[in-house]
Amino acid sequence: MRTDSRQQRGRLLLAGLLLLLFAHLAVAQEPAAHDEPGTELQISLLTFGPGAVYWERFGHNAIAIRDRRSGEAVSYNYGIFDFEEESFFLNFLRGHMRYTIEATRLEQDLAYYRDEGRAILEQELHLTPAQRLRLRDFLRWNLHPDNARYRYEYFTSNCSTKVRDALDHALGGAIQRSLVTRSRGYTYRLQADSLLAPLPGLMLPMDLGLGPYADRRLSFWEESFIPAEFARHLPLVRVEDANGKLVPLVGASRVLGTTGPQLAAADEAWLRRHGPYPIGYTAPVAFASGVLSLVLLMLARAPRPRAARAFALAACAFALLAGLAGLMLAALWGLTEHVSAWRNENLLLVNPLLLLLLPALWRMRRPQARSGRVTRVLAWTVLVMALLALVAKLLPQSMQNNAVWIALLLPPHLVLAWRLLRAPAPPADSA
């Protein structure tokens, strides 16, 4: 009995010694992993869905960094602007907008978007410890007042492209190398029109103001100016892990919030009724414009004073609105740094010279009104320039996607020119 007891105690002692040995080996090996700087950091990309306000239509994104050792969780985002800033709207019109980066507590940031009912997607990113440190240090450097502000441009330097560039910087250019060679043929115009489609009062003026720069084919890298597209393309990226093995950059993905039902239903209903892009409206717009222009032509041909007055009012309204729009497009090209508005062929259709024709068009309220030589020269000039927009569109080198505006604006140009050129010239000896 005593011998068995001694043997049992010996076995227990031996087992205890072995457990202590294994624990010592585990503890001895673990610091090498945990002591490597950056291991304690977890990096995620946060993508927020569109909001109800017009400047929130493109969505938003941010970089989340969690420190497992300290428990700190910070959200870094580049979409900060201030309406109260001096000359904000003047700088906006000139293309001199200044935005800044901001760091907030992650839970505070998430709570804000949850309260707004906006979708939240989190994508964990596989970065090496050194890359995590490099990203965190870069973002902290960027937060310094001397480095925080940046020149905003809605297609090439916005909240999403700055997040993309910060991640790409930490990864040594791996994101750009992967995405710059891929494309599905989308353009800035297509993407912007799609997101603003439920707000046609904003989408249509924006589309009118975009020049050929907005119609070039985009790579996935350039498409990433939209946060949702960046989140969609990022899983295509492969990076090397600490062992040199290629792994997907995006790991686990989680939905942290859902889109507000009222906003989502309104957006989806609008898109079902109208479609996402104004360029798809060309045929129906051409038909509607043709019908209205035919009515305008009938008023111009009618000998009755009431019809002449109706024609003059409609013609002046068209000339006034188109002429003012032309002044705006000319100013965007010549006086601002909005590159996407330069060389806009819509200037041929919304011609500022139409404003000079307003007195002559107003005289057309009298059926016997005449057109002087200056009026005829202006009418021919405006008509030829409008026709040049159609000719430019038919050329194989044409880049600007403005068929819908040609379909809308060319028919009334033809009617106005016909009426002004049809009116008899004043007598040669008249004043």
Side-chain angles (χ1 to χ4, degrees), residues 339-357:
V339 178
S340 55
W342 293 357
R343 299 187 294 110
N344 193 338
E345 294 173 12
N346 289 331
L347 258 172
L348 297 170
L349 297 163
V350 288
N351 196 326
L353 293 177
L354 284 165
L355 297 175
L356 301 179
L357 285 174

Side-chain angles (χ1 to χ4, degrees), residues 89-383:
F89 287 102
L90 177 61
N91 289 332
F92 174 80
L93 293 174
R94 296 172 57 208
H96 290 175
M97 294 162 290
R98 291 289 187 272
Y99 279 39
T100 187
I101 182 177
E102 182 180 70
T104 57
R105 288 191 305 107
L106 178 59
E107 282 307 315
Q108 178 183 342
D109 214 17
L110 294 176
Y112 171 80
Y113 288 100
R114 286 195 185 105
D115 290 343
E116 288 203 335
R118 294 170 64 176
I120 306 173
L121 173 67
E122 179 177 12
Q123 295 167 296
E124 290 187 19
L125 304 181
H126 290 149
L127 278 69
T128 65
Q131 290 168 342
R132 298 173 210 172
L133 276 181
R134 187 179 186 190
L135 176 63
R136 187 195 63 183
D137 292 345
F138 173 78
L139 292 172
R140 287 179 173 178
W141 169 86
N142 215 171
L143 281 171
H144 191 276
D146 292 339
N147 310 319
R149 293 168 65 81
Y150 66 96
R151 174 78 171 275
Y152 176 86
E153 205 282 327
Y154 32 82
F155 290 144
T156 60
S157 182
N158 64 9
C159 65
S160 188
T161 63
K162 298 295 285 186
V163 165
R164 176 201 67 187
D165 294 347
L167 292 172
D168 193 54
H169 170 76
L171 289 163
I175 298 177
Q176 184 175 18
R177 287 193 297 270
S178 179
L179 299 184
V180 77
T181 57
R182 305 168 190 249
S183 175
R184 53 184 174 176
Y186 284 17
T187 65
Y188 287 128
R189 187 188 304 276
L190 287 175
Q191 294 283 31
D193 286 346
S194 177
L195 288 166
L196 293 175
L199 302 173
L202 182 61
M203 177 193 69
L204 293 174
M206 182 210 65
D207 188 84
L208 178 67
L210 290 176
Y213 176 87
D215 291 303
R216 57 190 185 89
R217 290 167 57 94
L218 302 179
S219 66
F220 284 1
W221 170 260
E222 293 166 312
E223 268 190 43
S224 298
F225 82 97
I226 297 176
E229 297 301 333
F230 185 45
R232 180 178 301 168
H233 299 325
L234 205 58
L236 300 173
V237 179
R238 298 290 184 270
V239 294
E240 290 186 357
D241 62 11
N243 299 319
K245 181 182 177 181
L246 281 179
V247 297
L249 173 59
V250 175
S253 297
R254 295 182 293 275
V255 176
L256 305 181
T258 56
T259 305
Q262 293 181 347
L263 178 62
D267 287 1
E268 291 173 7
W270 200 99
L271 291 172
R272 281 197 302 271
R273 290 197 307 270
H274 303 281
Y277 310 128
I279 62 169
Y281 292 28
T282 302
V285 164
F287 177 77
S289 181
V291 170
L292 292 174
S293 299
L294 183 60
V295 173
L296 194 63
L297 179 62
M298 293 172 63
L299 292 174
R301 291 175 58 88
R304 292 174 303 204
R306 182 177 297 178
R309 287 195 295 270
F311 168 81
L313 286 172
C316 286
F318 172 81
L320 179 63
L321 293 176
L324 292 176
L327 287 178
M328 180 190 70
L329 297 191
L332 285 172
W333 183 355
L335 303 177
T336 77
E337 297 188 27
H338 293 290
V339 178
S340 55
W342 293 357
R343 299 187 294 110
N344 193 338
E345 294 173 12
N346 289 331
L347 258 172
L348 297 170
L349 297 163
V350 288
N351 196 326
L353 293 177
L354 284 165
L355 297 175
L356 301 179
L357 285 174
L358 283 173
L361 290 171
W362 182 241
R363 286 198 300 270
M364 295 300 113
R365 71 188 185 278
R366 299 189 299 271
Q368 299 79 21
R370 300 173 180 271
S371 292
R373 184 173 61 181
V374 174
T375 296
R376 291 173 178 274
V377 170
L378 279 174
W380 272 115
T381 301
V382 170
L383 177 60

